[in-house]
Amino acid sequence: MTAAHTQPTHIETKQSKPLICIRDLAVSFETNKSKVKAVDGLSLTIYPQQTLALVGESGCGKSVTALSVLQLIDQPPGDIERGSIFFDSTDLLKLSEKQMLKVRGKDIAMIFQEPMTSLNPVYTIGEQIIEAILLHQNVDNKQAMQIAIKAMADVGIDKAKQRLRAYPHEFSGGMRQRAMIAMALACQPKLLLADEPTTALDVTIQAQILELLRKLQRQRNMAVMFITHDLGIVAENADVVCVMYAGRIVEYANVFDLFNKPQHPYTRGLFASIPRIGAPKHRLTTVDQVVNDPKEFKKLPGYENGVEPWWPGGEDETRGYVLHEIQPNHWVGCKHCEYLDSQISTNPDIDFQRKKWCTGSF
Amino acid sequence: MFPTWIGITLIVFMIVRFAPGRPGSESFEAGYLSADGQAASLSYYQRKLGLDQPLYKQYFSWWRSLFSTEIVASEEHQTRTFEFTLGYSLTSRSSVVSELKRRLPITLLISTLSIILIYIIAIPTGLLMAVTRGRRFDIGSNTLLLALWSVPIVLVATLLIGYTTTGSLGVQWFPNNGLSSIGAERLPFFAWLADRAWHLILPVVCISLGGFAYLAKQTRASVLENLSMDYVRTAKAKGVSGINIIKHHVFRNSLLPLITIFATLLPFMLAGSVIVEKIFNIEGMGLFTFRAVMNRDYDVVQAMALIAGVLNSFGLLVADIAYAAADPRIKYR
């Protein structure tokens, strides 16, 4: 949380091509009663080696966004209604399932929240890592095993050779998450989607895993999309933060701007609701008017009910949801904030990275 | 396991004693005995079988009768022989064990064939149903399986006999009773085998239908459950194709619960054999049990129930061992 006190003097901006560009993504799910819009008009950009944090409460569409990138959303009931996901200038949403198989695990890898259940219980760790290697690299079994041993050693599992033969249930939670990371990184992906990778772990292990991810990201020049609802993790790890609410981005800025000058009332609410040690309070602060079930999104002002929406320009129904770039590299989707007269931009795009010296712990 | 078996003997003994009817009482139903004759018949059997004794004495004397001791005297010395008899049949006067030697293989043959058949057909069917969930194949098979599961064996057997063995459809496809044709023992081996297989088809089909429906539904449920597991999502994210996810990841995990069902199917088979063997007139354990029950042949009914119990406990043991072998998370020390 100390990021809030750090002045953004060490912003390092360089000109490079974006690694992944999500534009106007909309994903909905068919339930037996109605259609639920889990993500509606989401745009974001990640540059190589950048860490983008997707922040928001449960049900706001963070995981759906990540799963759409890999097209792991079951259709039906899911439906990617519109949008494009450009990865290395190919639109992933236009690729066939067969072509996607070559992207998943190779260029874009993903790690999940539950290390306890995310590994197949009847195969050894080694078999599962080697499976990923054999799928994407042109090597024989023996070489694959060497790569797997190297991958396990890289994530800090010692006696990697023996541990290849261990089953997931013989590993602790932290070890399993390390094994998951080894599996994801064995094929040297360019982008890692980390879907709350530390939520199920205790704080000590959490710190170790985050440190490990930072180290590996630096070594391999990998971009990371980090999904979390822990603002502490965001402050320590992210370059760019993207705050989501009810399937939409409400604020998008680099980590220092966001923590220093949060503009959107929801972001401010999130910061206000972080419990502080020593603050005597009977009840914890909550964010006002929170809807965290996607089925309820339509009750929010501006969604379907004719109440004036919270975002600017929303009065015009054809315009839809827009973000305002209220300051250079700071996008907000709210008409009640300052600097509203600045230009409109719907495509948030920040090529920003922390300097190396502050990527460690604060 | 031994305490279980002793428990089985107790329960079996009590059930048989409290069941209506007495040895000898079946002759009343035919109506050819006067009231005096009935009383005489009953008291004859009561004394002969020791049914006038207190229950615990009857229980222990049953235990004694499971093993018979014989003293064989030769010219030089006497030798005592123990023989495992499981009691004697009231009607055939031979020991239960000697009957079993002939009959148990027949029943086990039918049960084993049925179980193998059930597993071979039900698992692919269930898998296919899970993969095509909600589509026509799945809905159709589900309805059919529900029907198979609900229709009693007796009805199925009667219909099958009616349509396939009497020639009512123009052809007499299968024989309607027994396990071999008359004179089959003089045939060359392969002809004998073919004849035996031809006789086995109907009984095996009848006894398998219910179990098949049950196992196929269980397979479907198990595969569907595994398809929604987190590890499937991990495998997808690795780039494993849909077919390989089913083949490598889901299939093996889905088989685990099906191993336990083996222990459920075996008693199902044994119970079914009583009906099927009666209908098809096959001289196996089931028919033997059926007759013993009709005759109130206490020793045989008890022995049969005991054997069924022991077989089932072996089935459970086999299922446990197989489960431990298949699932790395379970180890017996």
Side-chain angles (χ1 to χ4, degrees):
Chain A
M1 291 318 301
T2 41
H5 310 294
T6 316
Q7 287 305 308
T9 48
H10 39 258
I11 292 177
E12 192 180 70
T13 310
K14 54 183 173 23
Q15 296 302 312
S16 56
K17 226 174 125 237
L19 180 68
I20 186 162
C21 247
I22 302 181
R23 290 290 171 258
D24 196 30
L25 180 73
V27 185
S28 63
F29 289 89
E30 202 75 57
T31 64
N32 37 12
K33 276 186 200 142
S34 61
K35 208 171 197 186
V36 166
K37 287 180 176 173
V39 173
D40 196 2
L42 176 135
S43 302
L44 55 82
T45 313
I46 305 178
Y47 285 85
Q49 302 172 46
Q50 199 177 44
T51 302
L52 179 130
L54 267 183
V55 196
E57 56 201 288
S58 314
C60 70
K62 300 172 300 206
S63 297
V64 172
T65 307
L67 290 172
S68 320
V69 172
L70 283 180
Q71 288 186 50
L72 288 183
I73 288 175
D74 288 331
Q75 304 185 21
D79 178 23
I80 299 183
E81 289 181 335
R82 57 170 203 272
S84 52
I85 300 174
F86 285 100
F87 180 79
D88 274 353
S89 58
T90 43
D91 188 352
L92 295 183
L93 295 180
K94 291 209 172 73
L95 292 185
S96 67
E97 174 67 17
K98 211 171 170 187
Q99 290 167 311
M100 268 316 288
L101 288 179
K102 296 209 172 73
V103 176
R104 286 182 202 138
K106 184 165 186 274
D107 295 324
I108 307 176
M110 187 159 180
I111 53 178
F112 298 96
Q113 176 178 353
E114 284 291 337
M116 296 296 171
T117 54
S118 292
L119 290 163
N120 192 332
V122 301
Y123 290 105
T124 61
I125 302 282
E127 282 167 334
Q128 298 186 51
I129 299 180
I130 288 169
E131 185 187 24
I133 297 167
L134 288 177
L135 276 172
H136 299 298
Q137 296 177 34
N138 196 13
V139 291
D140 60 30
N141 281 321
K142 232 177 194 163
Q143 288 166 305
M145 197 162 130
Q146 291 308 316
I147 298 172
I149 292 172
K150 172 90 181 9
M152 280 175 74
D154 282 351
V155 296
I157 298 176
D158 46 321
K159 295 190 212 137
K161 207 169 176 183
Q162 287 98 297
R163 293 257 165 80
L164 276 183
R165 282 192 292 273
Y167 285 95
H169 69 275
E170 294 164 334
F171 273 24
S172 66
M175 288 274 278
R176 280 186 222 184
Q177 196 58 286
R178 281 172 197 267
M180 279 288 295
I181 294 172
M183 193 160 80
L185 300 192
C187 296
Q188 316 276 349
K190 293 174 198 150
L191 173 66
L192 178 70
L193 309 174
D195 189 354
E196 306 198 25
T198 57
T199 309
L201 306 173
D202 67 65
V203 225
T204 326
I205 308 298
Q206 203 171 357
Q208 290 174 7
I209 296 287
L210 288 172
E211 179 64 44
L212 174 73
L213 276 176
R214 275 198 294 264
K215 195 184 93 191
L216 291 170
Q217 183 183 10
R218 249 172 302 166
Q219 281 173 0
R220 304 184 177 203
N221 293 335
M222 180 173 66
V224 176
M225 182 198 278
F226 206 104
I227 295 173
T228 183
H229 47 239
D230 185 335
L231 291 167
I233 292 178
V234 175
E236 286 188 18
N237 292 278
D239 300 316
V240 174
V241 187
C242 165
V243 183
M244 282 184 76
Y245 176 65
R248 287 168 170 167
I249 293 176
V250 292
E251 189 156 6
Y252 191 104
N254 78 53
V255 62
F256 301 110
D257 284 351
L258 189 98
F259 278 78
N260 283 332
K261 303 170 273 186
Q263 297 294 338
H264 197 282
Y266 178 72
T267 319
R268 289 181 183 160
L270 273 189
F271 286 136
S273 64
I274 299 167
R276 286 172 209 276
I277 296 170
K281 264 193 172 172
H282 182 56
R283 308 193 66 159
L284 294 171
T285 316
T286 54
V287 185
D288 286 342
Q289 290 184 352
V290 166
V291 172
N292 54 19
D293 182 354
K295 283 178 199 155
E296 310 276 297
F297 286 174
K298 54 176 176 275
K299 291 185 188 159
L300 287 168
Y303 275 72
E304 274 172 18
N305 55 8
V307 180
E308 199 184 345
W310 81 61
W311 57 88
E315 300 86 0
D316 179 5
E317 285 195 359
T318 54
R319 278 265 297 286
Y321 187 71
V322 282
L323 288 177
H324 274 218
E325 190 173 5
I326 54 164
Q327 280 174 336
N329 293 336
H330 196 140
W331 282 263
V332 177
C334 177
K335 61 180 175 186
H336 303 300
C337 56
E338 309 152 61
Y339 321 113
L340 244 188
D341 47 340
S342 52
Q343 66 185 106
I344 293 173
S345 164
T346 47
N347 296 337
D349 178 341
I350 306 173
D351 185 4
F352 160 79
Q353 253 184 293
R354 297 161 176 239
K355 276 193 174 165
K356 296 271 188 287
W357 58 266
C358 66
T359 45
S361 48
F362 278 76
Chain B
M1 206 182 255
F2 288 102
T4 318
W5 292 351
I6 291 170
I8 292 173
T9 64
L10 262 174
I11 292 168
V12 161
F13 177 82
M14 296 314 282
I15 289 175
V16 170
R17 297 298 138 142
F18 287 120
R22 288 267 168 272
S25 65
E26 84 282 358
S27 50
F28 310 159
E29 286 143 24
Y32 53 75
L33 276 183
S34 65
D36 286 352
Q38 288 182 4
S41 161
L42 270 185
S43 65
Y44 167 73
Y45 278 112
Q46 290 231 324
R47 244 174 302 121
K48 188 185 173 199
L49 301 173
L51 298 180
D52 43 1
Q53 301 283 317
L55 272 181
Y56 72 93
K57 279 196 180 164
Q58 292 183 34
Y59 179 67
F60 288 116
S61 77
W62 175 45
W63 263 102
R64 262 197 303 280
S65 75
L66 294 182
F67 316 91
S68 75
T69 42
E70 256 178 280
I71 298 168
V72 182
S74 65
E75 282 175 16
E76 276 109 44
H77 45 81
Q78 290 182 341
T79 42
R80 220 162 211 233
T81 56
F82 280 95
E83 202 195 346
F84 189 54
T85 60
L86 280 176
Y88 283 87
S89 161
L90 204 59
T91 45
S92 72
R93 291 173 196 281
S94 50
S95 77
V96 174
V97 167
S98 65
E99 289 279 344
L100 274 185
K101 276 182 189 151
R102 200 153 50 82
R103 294 166 182 275
L104 190 59
I106 293 172
T107 302
L108 283 186
L109 174 72
I110 295 178
S111 307
T112 318
L113 280 178
S114 306
I115 288 186
I116 293 172
L117 189 76
I118 287 173
Y119 270 85
I120 288 180
I121 304 178
I123 289 179
T125 312
L127 195 64
L128 209 60
M129 283 167 73
V131 173
T132 61
R133 173 172 56 150
R135 282 193 253 147
R136 217 177 304 162
F137 176 80
D138 180 37
I139 295 168
S141 332
N142 246 325
T143 320
L144 185 69
L145 290 183
L146 188 68
L148 286 184
W149 174 240
S150 320
V151 175
I153 296 181
V154 185
L155 183 62
V156 176
T158 316
L159 287 176
L160 281 177
I161 287 180
Y163 283 113
T164 64
T165 69
T166 57
S168 68
L169 294 179
V171 200
Q172 190 194 340
W173 281 310
F174 300 108
N176 64 2
N177 77 75
L179 269 191
S180 41
S181 310
I182 296 162
E185 55 275 15
R186 286 194 303 273
L187 288 170
F189 178 71
F190 284 108
W192 173 84
L193 197 69
D195 177 66
R196 176 54 61 95
W198 190 45
H199 280 81
L200 274 173
I201 289 175
L202 280 190
V204 167
V205 165
C206 284
I207 215 170
S208 306
L209 286 179
F212 162 69
Y214 180 66
L215 191 71
K217 275 184 164 289
Q218 291 288 331
T219 310
R220 177 181 182 272
S222 175
V223 171
L224 280 182
E225 190 193 327
N226 274 289
L227 272 176
S228 62
M229 292 292 220
D230 284 351
Y231 69 78
V232 170
R233 196 181 52 184
T234 311
K236 278 185 193 162
K238 264 198 287 196
V240 184
S241 65
I243 292 174
N244 281 333
I245 282 178
I246 303 256
K247 265 195 341 207
H248 294 154
H249 291 270
V250 172
F251 187 57
R252 205 173 145 191
N253 278 289
S254 310
L255 284 184
L256 297 177
L258 305 185
I259 293 171
T260 330
I261 290 176
F262 171 75
T264 327
L265 279 179
L266 190 65
F268 189 79
M269 295 292 114
L270 292 178
S273 74
V274 174
I275 300 165
V276 167
E277 286 178 14
K278 168 70 185 150
I279 292 173
F280 290 95
N281 200 20
I282 296 165
E283 289 290 341
M285 240 176 86
L287 187 56
F288 190 46
T289 314
F290 182 82
R291 284 201 199 117
V293 170
M294 295 315 278
N295 294 332
R296 273 77 174 184
D297 196 341
Y298 278 10
D299 270 14
V300 176
V301 176
Q302 285 167 185
M304 288 299 148
L306 183 61
I307 287 165
V310 170
L311 280 179
N312 286 333
S313 63
F314 271 117
L316 280 171
L317 184 70
V318 169
D320 277 358
I321 292 172
Y323 200 97
D327 189 343
R329 282 165 295 184
I330 292 172
K331 288 272 174 300
Y332 288 110
R333 296 223 164 89

